[in-house]
Amino acid sequence: MRIAVFGDVMGRSGRNGLLDRLPGLKKKLALDFIIVNVENSAGGFGVTADIVEAFLDAGADALTTGNHAFDQREEIDIYDREERLLRPVNFPASNPGRGSGVFEARNGASVLVVHAQGQIGMHPCDDPFAAVDREIAGAVLGKDMDAIVVDFHAEATSEKCAMGHFLDGRASLVVGTHTHIPTADDQVLPRGTGYITDLGMCGDYDSIIGMEKSEPLRRFITKMNTGRFAPANGEATICGVIVETDPATGLARSIDPIRVDGRLRRA
Ligand code: FE2
């Protein structure tokens, strides 16, 4: 089966860019299952019910988030209403929503999606390795689940690499998100798990990780937080990966980057 995951949707640029292209990509790439990270889709901070609905209507099967999951405070109840929208599983248990779910792909296959946040350079959360381990403990790939996909939302490349190897042979695909810059290490790990350290964002790359350049530049240079961050709204590059799994084992046969339009080299 063919699964695509698209990286952090950044503001209007990323939102409209991916919403416009998702139905076409789904058809062209014959995608059975689509995951989109939407944590920056509402003006760069969080997600709204309308945006969730738009991505599900456009063909997404599950949506992940991250450290900005609850930024849109008046919209938080969507996490309890919409089970296809996930927040990190290692957030406090009292938080709204859930961090994993089993979904049916277009080909009838079962897909377990687990979403976790890293601990290095992120706000405090529970151990992501123990949390993901618990989530997949009862699900043997190729037996109980046709595919298992983990979105690990983390800052440190080392922590993301460690999660990839921790799950190698037990998950179909482990993707890193959060840094908004795509890495070139997409690979099938030795025991058969597709892996990439970061998908990159869907957004305008003439920016500082998706934000209009002037305010972040000013903060780096003057060390003063005098203005407000605003998403950059030039044409988006759509970034993600596609993995093809072996139906018998659920492991990855191949992984390839997806990079379409905007400023980055096409893949
Ligand atoms: Fe993030």
Side-chain angles (χ1 to χ4, degrees), residues 8 39-40 66-68 122 153 178 180:
D8 315 26
E39 80 144 351
N40 304 110
N67 52 306
H68 291 292
M122 309 291 288
H153 197 76
H178 178 67
H180 293 192

Side-chain angles (χ1 to χ4, degrees), residues 175-194:
V175 300
T177 54
H178 178 67
T179 70
H180 293 192
I181 304 294
T183 58
D185 61 339
D186 49 280
Q187 61 179 304
V188 177
L189 296 174
R191 293 187 191 131
T193 296

Side-chain angles (χ1 to χ4, degrees), residues 67-82:
N67 52 306
H68 291 292
F70 303 127
D71 282 4
Q72 300 292 325
R73 280 176 229 161
E74 65 286 2
E75 305 264 353
I76 283 172
D77 63 333
I78 50 174
Y79 285 89
D80 281 328
R81 288 202 316 262
E82 179 49 74

Side-chain angles (χ1 to χ4, degrees), residues 7 22 28 42 49-50 64 86 93-94 96 104 114 117 120 123 143 151 173 177-178 181 186 202 215 235 245 251 257:
L22 199 53
K28 188 175 168 196
D50 287 349
T64 53
L86 304 177
S94 58
E104 190 180 334
V114 182
Q117 183 187 284
I120 300 172
H123 69 67
K143 199 168 131 224
D151 173 352
L173 175 65
T177 54
H178 178 67
I181 304 294
D186 49 280
C202 295
E215 177 58 20
E235 189 194 3
T245 62
L251 293 168

